[in-house]
Amino acid sequence: MKAPCNDFKRRLAAGEVLNGFWLSLASPVASEALSLAGFDWLLFDGEHSPVDVAGVQPLLQAAATGTASAVVRPAWNDKVLIKRLLDIGAQTLLVPFVQSAEEAAAAVLASRYPPHGVRGVAGATRASRYGQTEDYFAVANREICVLVQVETGEALGRLEEIAAVDGVDGVFIGPSDLAASMGHLGRPGHPEVQAALKDAAARIAATGKAPGILATNAADARRYVDWGYRFVAAGVDIGVLMAGAKAMLAEVRGS
């Protein structure tokens, strides 16, 4: 049995634009259903949701039903969390709050086995099909995709240094936290923030790395793609659920 290939990493390196969706409900049912909706990737959020590492595994198992690639965001840039998520089968990680090249390098090292990193070695994990693959240790480092999240003005000032770190495959800009750090808490649509987002896409692309971002609606997602972002989440599960439910209620009430 062969170890799985990372289709997300392959397609990102090929220059494709990948349309994604953000999941925070921690529901295997939602995970399975949305994996069949046609998205290129799904993000399972371990930072701003109640799910812990053990709760991520059933989400990954459910998502394996469909065709969307799984991306997992750990709660922090922590080598123990990264090791545990990789062991349960995550191949692509979105590491939050990366402020410097050194922090980006630490995330990469945590995702690699020695001698190229510090990831602890375990044999019978879900990542290696419970020890049934014949080549997992030979290909694991190559198949892991590391995306780092830049979400403050301070980190934005070091964008090229962060993106240049070997092993970083993409740089994701967090609009909400960036807006807060720029003095526009709760207003990612502020013109100053939007200008910074547009500039960031060009700067990341100039380093040869893929820019990524989260949108909360289709119009924003299309604009971000036009600006050069190549992995874009077009919405968040709880937001889509609430908007759909409220629209239905308004229609029922005739309001």
Side-chain angles (χ1 to χ4, degrees):
M1 182 183 299
K2 297 291 187 181
C5 296
N6 189 334
D7 193 52
F8 179 93
K9 183 172 184 176
R10 178 188 62 79
R11 295 179 66 189
L12 204 64
E16 293 187 43
V17 173
L18 304 179
N19 297 301
F21 195 69
W22 205 268
L23 283 80
S24 58
L25 289 172
S27 165
V29 175
S31 172
E32 183 176 31
L34 289 164
S35 77
L36 299 164
F39 292 104
D40 298 309
W41 58 285
L42 301 176
L43 184 289
F44 299 103
D45 192 2
E47 183 186 13
H48 290 295
S49 78
V51 68
D52 56 16
V53 173
V56 173
Q57 180 160 325
L59 303 179
L60 294 174
Q61 290 169 321
T65 303
T67 56
S69 295
V71 179
V72 180
R73 180 163 72 168
W76 195 244
N77 184 4
D78 178 273
K79 65 182 180 181
V80 175
L81 289 176
I82 288 173
K83 170 180 62 180
R84 296 185 68 196
L85 289 170
L86 295 177
D87 282 351
I88 63 172
Q91 287 187 299
T92 301
L93 298 178
L94 174 58
V95 181
F97 207 77
V98 171
Q99 292 285 90
S100 65
E102 290 76 17
E103 291 181 4
V108 174
L109 287 172
S111 74
R112 274 29 175 196
Y113 285 124
H116 305 293
V118 297
R119 179 183 173 188
V121 180
T125 64
R126 181 173 181 266
S128 66
R129 299 295 191 259
Y130 304 100
Q132 300 308 299
T133 59
E134 60 193 63
D135 61 340
Y136 181 73
F137 291 126
V139 305
N141 285 356
R142 183 186 72 205
E143 296 301 326
I144 299 303
C145 179
V146 174
L147 312 170
V148 296
Q149 186 164 340
V150 167
E151 45 192 324
T152 68
E154 181 183 0
L156 207 60
R158 304 186 183 117
L159 192 54
E160 285 80 7
E161 298 170 27
I162 292 170
V165 170
D166 188 34
V168 167
D169 298 289
V171 180
F172 183 91
I173 305 297
S176 294
D177 284 294
L178 180 60
S181 79
M182 295 174 67
H184 304 296
L185 178 62
R187 295 181 292 159
H190 189 280
E192 185 181 2
V193 179
Q194 290 293 301
L197 297 178
K198 185 176 183 180
D199 181 62
R203 290 170 62 193
I204 297 166
T207 70
K209 302 296 176 71
I213 198 167
L214 169 63
T216 56
N217 57 69
D220 284 351
R222 286 194 299 268
R223 184 174 70 259
Y224 293 150
V225 170
D226 288 343
W227 287 352
Y229 284 97
R230 292 208 288 107
F231 60 105
V232 179
V236 181
D237 55 3
I238 190 68
V240 171
L241 175 64
M242 292 300 292
K246 289 168 72 174
M248 181 189 67
L249 181 58
E251 186 176 353
V252 169
R253 288 175 172 171
S255 58

